Amino acid sequence: MEQPLAIYRASSLRDAGRSGAAMRRRAAGDGPDRLVRVGPNAFVRGVDWDAAGPRQQYVTRVFARLGRRSTAAAGSHVSAVAAHGLPWLAGWPEDVHITVPKSQYGARTKSLVLHTRPLGSKDLVHHGGVRFTTVARTVADIALLGDVRATVVVADAAIRSGVPKQACTAALGGTLHDRGRRLAVLALDIADGRSGSPAESLARVVFRELGLPVPVLQQRFVVEGRRYEVDFWFPEQGVVVEMDGHAKYTQERYRNGRDTTQVFIDEKRRHEQLLTVPGVRVILRLEWRDLWDLDRLTRRLRAAGLPCAVRPVRSARDVAR
């Protein structure tokens, strides 16, 4: 699970002779001793905050909030997504999401969102002295919110990490007649651990929105003794769709010691080799940004020979059908 930055509480520092007012002054300044307020009476060193990425910053805010709640509270929903290291479709929010017993429920505040769906011991995991919902329960909570895109992105990563899809479905609880559960079940049915990235997960949902045939995932082709695996294969249309992005050319985990030029050359050679496979007619490369403009994407997919709906489906309920 993800680790927060070191959090300093005003109450504990008062015991060491430092006043809360002094800490607030440091938080308002911009010098080397600057502090950043991450929750009620909770601060981190400014230099640590500036060096942290968006996920760790958000996880730190979650821990700052949970550390002040009763032991019955648990980080949940997007807050648990962040703590478990799962991907999130949008940027990390300011709000912290916590599940509490109904007896502790209160109105939403500016930075705290409370949920009350019952938690059992099997739904909880301890981390850093606080509680979070398990991965399966976290996926279920996201699914019950009704956002099919977000659900598939999170669920794909969870299944890929080894969490059984059945466990996520079981964590939904209730019956099919309960509000939101039927849509959540349908969204989880779409989930598939073979998707190799959040972009591939989002693309699968977008393809459903556009009425495309169900593609084959991670199809393998062998060309001159070399094995190539593609993201999406539409055999009837002879179309390969690959999710492309800057990370493939800039991040070391994808480059494997190669410089950017060599990566580009290797990708070009791979593209040419795949086009020699019998039945492969077109290779279409898409980026993350392409998945958000459905009208333009429709035109590109049609030009490649894929049948798209006349009007993209924009209802999450229709997508999950």
Side-chain angles (χ1 to χ4, degrees):
M1 295 183 73
E2 299 294 315
Q3 297 295 328
L5 299 172
I7 299 172
Y8 302 96
R9 300 282 181 185
S11 55
S12 61
L13 290 176
R14 276 197 298 269
D15 295 338
R18 298 183 182 181
S19 68
M23 296 187 70
R24 288 190 289 274
R25 283 196 298 272
R26 288 176 60 184
D30 57 3
D33 294 331
R34 177 176 64 98
L35 295 176
V36 174
R37 185 176 181 272
V38 292
N41 295 318
F43 302 84
V44 299
R45 295 197 313 158
V47 63
D48 294 337
W49 181 261
D50 294 340
R55 180 193 294 272
Q56 190 176 33
Q57 290 179 348
Y58 180 58
V59 168
T60 301
R61 292 188 186 277
V62 174
F63 270 83
R65 277 288 191 172
L66 280 172
R68 288 174 52 86
R69 304 294 302 190
S70 73
T71 56
S76 62
H77 297 77
V78 63
S79 298
V81 168
H84 284 297
L86 297 169
W88 187 241
L89 189 57
W92 300 110
E94 291 290 328
D95 295 339
V96 172
H97 288 250
I98 297 175
T99 294
V100 297
K102 285 187 177 182
S103 60
Q104 297 183 13
Y105 181 76
R108 170 176 176 158
T109 67
K110 183 178 180 180
S111 59
L112 186 64
V113 181
L114 300 182
H115 305 267
T116 60
R117 196 161 76 90
L119 287 170
S121 58
K122 68 181 184 304
D123 298 320
L124 296 168
V125 61
H126 290 78
H127 173 48
V130 298
R131 305 194 312 171
F132 288 92
T133 51
T134 63
V135 173
R137 170 59 189 261
T138 300
V139 172
D141 284 339
I142 297 300
L144 288 168
L145 295 178
D147 187 332
V148 177
R149 289 184 172 190
T151 297
V152 173
V153 168
V154 174
D156 280 1
I159 296 167
R160 189 166 59 250
S161 72
V163 177
K165 182 190 290 191
Q166 296 86 341
C168 300
T169 303
L172 292 172
T175 69
L176 281 175
H177 299 291
D178 291 341
R179 180 181 179 183
R181 190 181 188 279
R182 183 172 179 272
L183 178 59
V185 170
L186 292 171
L188 288 178
D189 283 343
I190 301 172
D192 193 315
R194 290 176 295 173
S195 281
S197 69
E200 291 177 35
S201 300
L202 175 60
R204 290 200 349 272
V205 181
V206 170
F207 293 163
R208 290 179 66 97
E209 294 173 359
L210 297 176
L212 266 63
V214 177
V216 178
L217 306 185
Q218 310 305 328
Q219 174 68 45
R220 294 176 179 174
F221 298 105
V222 178
V223 183
E224 297 181 357
R226 298 193 64 176
R227 186 176 67 184
Y228 298 97
E229 196 170 84
V230 301
D231 297 333
F232 304 103
W233 168 232
F234 295 86
E236 292 188 12
Q237 293 77 28
V239 178
V240 167
V241 178
E242 295 265 62
M243 293 308 304
D244 210 353
H246 298 293
K248 182 182 294 185
Y249 304 95
T250 59
Q251 293 186 12
E252 183 57 38
R253 58 175 174 162
Y254 296 112
R255 288 164 52 185
N256 295 321
R258 300 170 296 171
D259 59 27
T260 302
T261 300
Q262 188 60 51
V263 173
F264 179 81
I265 293 172
D266 290 345
E267 283 297 308
K268 185 174 184 297
R269 183 179 296 117
R270 179 178 183 271
H271 186 102
E272 293 171 347
Q273 291 280 60
L274 285 170
L275 284 174
T276 68
V277 174
V280 175
R281 188 178 54 81
V282 177
I283 299 176
L284 180 63
R285 292 183 175 274
L286 301 177
E287 297 182 21
W288 179 265
R289 61 183 179 181
D290 295 323
L291 302 176
W292 299 95
D293 186 344
L294 297 191
D295 296 314
R296 182 175 181 273
L297 180 59
T298 296
R299 293 193 294 271
R300 291 190 63 190
L301 292 170
R302 285 180 181 164
L306 291 171
C308 293
V310 174
R311 184 183 299 275
V313 172
R314 302 184 189 277
S315 166
R317 190 173 301 278
D318 291 335
V319 170
R321 284 177 181 169

